[in-house]
Short mmCIF file of all heavy atoms in Angstrom, two decimals:
data_model
loop_
_atom_site.label_atom_id
_atom_site.label_comp_id
_atom_site.label_asym_id
_atom_site.label_seq_id
_atom_site.Cartn_x
_atom_site.Cartn_y
_atom_site.Cartn_z
N ARG M 9 -20.11 44.80 59.05
CA ARG M 9 -21.02 45.28 58.03
C ARG M 9 -20.25 45.97 56.91
O ARG M 9 -20.62 45.87 55.72
CB ARG M 9 -22.03 46.14 58.66
CG ARG M 9 -23.13 45.39 59.43
CD ARG M 9 -24.36 46.31 59.66
NE ARG M 9 -23.99 47.55 60.35
CZ ARG M 9 -24.01 47.67 61.68
NH1 ARG M 9 -24.40 46.66 62.43
NH2 ARG M 9 -23.74 48.92 62.19
N LYS M 10 -19.22 46.75 57.35
CA LYS M 10 -18.48 47.48 56.28
C LYS M 10 -17.69 46.50 55.38
O LYS M 10 -17.70 46.72 54.11
CB LYS M 10 -17.44 48.37 56.99
CG LYS M 10 -16.73 49.34 56.07
CD LYS M 10 -15.82 50.35 56.80
CE LYS M 10 -16.71 51.23 57.68
NZ LYS M 10 -15.85 52.29 58.37
N ARG M 11 -17.14 45.42 55.88
CA ARG M 11 -16.44 44.41 54.99
C ARG M 11 -17.47 43.78 54.07
O ARG M 11 -17.19 43.58 52.92
CB ARG M 11 -15.76 43.42 55.93
CG ARG M 11 -14.52 43.86 56.68
CD ARG M 11 -13.72 42.65 57.16
NE ARG M 11 -14.49 41.82 58.03
CZ ARG M 11 -14.53 41.95 59.35
NH1 ARG M 11 -13.92 43.03 59.88
NH2 ARG M 11 -15.22 41.17 60.12
N ASN M 12 -18.67 43.42 54.63
CA ASN M 12 -19.63 42.86 53.76
C ASN M 12 -20.03 43.78 52.62
O ASN M 12 -20.29 43.44 51.46
CB ASN M 12 -20.90 42.54 54.56
CG ASN M 12 -20.60 41.34 55.50
OD1 ASN M 12 -19.66 40.64 55.34
ND2 ASN M 12 -21.44 41.13 56.56
N LEU M 13 -20.13 45.12 52.96
CA LEU M 13 -20.53 46.13 51.96
C LEU M 13 -19.44 46.20 50.81
O LEU M 13 -19.80 46.21 49.67
CB LEU M 13 -20.67 47.46 52.59
CG LEU M 13 -20.97 48.68 51.71
CD1 LEU M 13 -22.29 48.40 50.89
CD2 LEU M 13 -21.03 49.91 52.48
N TRP M 14 -18.16 46.27 51.24
CA TRP M 14 -17.13 46.36 50.21
C TRP M 14 -17.01 45.05 49.43
O TRP M 14 -16.72 45.08 48.24
CB TRP M 14 -15.77 46.66 50.91
CG TRP M 14 -15.61 48.08 51.40
CD1 TRP M 14 -15.51 48.51 52.68
CD2 TRP M 14 -15.65 49.17 50.52
NE1 TRP M 14 -15.51 49.80 52.66
CE2 TRP M 14 -15.52 50.33 51.45
CE3 TRP M 14 -15.72 49.35 49.13
CZ2 TRP M 14 -15.48 51.62 50.90
CZ3 TRP M 14 -15.69 50.69 48.69
CH2 TRP M 14 -15.61 51.80 49.56
N THR M 15 -17.30 43.87 50.09
CA THR M 15 -17.32 42.60 49.29
C THR M 15 -18.36 42.68 48.30
O THR M 15 -18.19 42.26 47.11
CB THR M 15 -17.45 41.42 50.29
OG1 THR M 15 -16.43 41.39 51.25
CG2 THR M 15 -17.54 40.15 49.54
N ALA M 16 -19.57 43.13 48.70
CA ALA M 16 -20.69 43.17 47.68
C ALA M 16 -20.36 44.14 46.54
O ALA M 16 -20.59 43.89 45.38
CB ALA M 16 -21.94 43.63 48.40
N VAL M 17 -19.70 45.30 46.89
CA VAL M 17 -19.35 46.22 45.79
C VAL M 17 -18.34 45.60 44.91
O VAL M 17 -18.43 45.75 43.65
CB VAL M 17 -18.78 47.55 46.46
CG1 VAL M 17 -18.20 48.42 45.42
CG2 VAL M 17 -19.92 48.26 47.17
N ALA M 18 -17.40 44.89 45.45
CA ALA M 18 -16.33 44.28 44.62
C ALA M 18 -16.92 43.23 43.64
O ALA M 18 -16.55 43.16 42.47
CB ALA M 18 -15.18 43.61 45.39
N VAL M 19 -17.84 42.37 44.16
CA VAL M 19 -18.48 41.37 43.35
C VAL M 19 -19.32 42.03 42.23
O VAL M 19 -19.29 41.61 41.10
CB VAL M 19 -19.41 40.52 44.22
CG1 VAL M 19 -20.27 39.59 43.40
CG2 VAL M 19 -18.61 39.62 45.18
N ALA M 20 -19.97 43.14 42.56
CA ALA M 20 -20.77 43.79 41.60
C ALA M 20 -19.91 44.45 40.43
O ALA M 20 -20.23 44.31 39.31
CB ALA M 20 -21.60 44.97 42.27
N LEU M 21 -18.73 44.98 40.83
CA LEU M 21 -17.84 45.55 39.84
C LEU M 21 -17.24 44.45 38.97
O LEU M 21 -17.16 44.67 37.72
CB LEU M 21 -16.69 46.28 40.59
CG LEU M 21 -17.09 47.63 41.31
CD1 LEU M 21 -15.88 48.09 42.02
CD2 LEU M 21 -17.55 48.65 40.24
N VAL M 22 -16.91 43.36 39.53
CA VAL M 22 -16.38 42.23 38.74
C VAL M 22 -17.37 41.71 37.73
O VAL M 22 -17.14 41.47 36.57
CB VAL M 22 -15.81 41.10 39.59
CG1 VAL M 22 -15.53 39.85 38.81
CG2 VAL M 22 -14.61 41.60 40.42
N THR M 23 -18.66 41.64 38.23
CA THR M 23 -19.77 41.12 37.44
C THR M 23 -20.05 42.07 36.25
O THR M 23 -20.17 41.66 35.12
CB THR M 23 -21.05 40.97 38.25
OG1 THR M 23 -20.73 40.05 39.32
CG2 THR M 23 -22.17 40.37 37.43
#
Side-chain angles (χ1 to χ4, degrees):
R9 285 199 300 269
K10 189 175 293 186
R11 285 197 302 271
N12 290 341
L13 175 62
W14 284 115
T15 300
V17 170
V19 171
L21 288 174
V22 170
T23 302

